[in-house]
Amino acid sequence: MDEFEIKLFENQQIRRKWDAELEDYYYSIVDVIGILTESNNPNRYWAD
């Protein structure tokens, strides 16, 4: 079963999901963009 987790980076949340088959994590790119750019709307930043 895949598990979803919330991790903190500099007190901000980043969603991640464990892939047991590949034994690796997948991170939400929108969450990472929001942290790195300090954007108020990272979904729009990603779309642009």
Side-chain angles (χ1 to χ4, degrees):
M1 178 178 206
D2 293 332
E3 295 182 22
F4 293 93
E5 293 182 41
I6 301 290
K7 288 305 201 185
L8 294 179
F9 177 78
E10 295 182 358
N11 294 324
Q12 296 186 9
Q13 295 181 349
I14 299 177
R15 293 170 288 173
R16 73 178 187 177
K17 181 179 178 182
W18 175 251
D19 185 326
E21 185 177 317
L22 295 176
E23 297 182 355
D24 202 2
Y25 283 104
Y26 288 90
Y27 292 88
S28 168
I29 191 66
V30 173
D31 294 349
V32 173
I33 286 172
I35 291 170
L36 295 177
T37 64
E38 299 178 355
S39 173
N40 291 330
N41 190 351
N43 288 321
R44 186 65 193 154
Y45 193 96
W46 173 251
D48 288 343

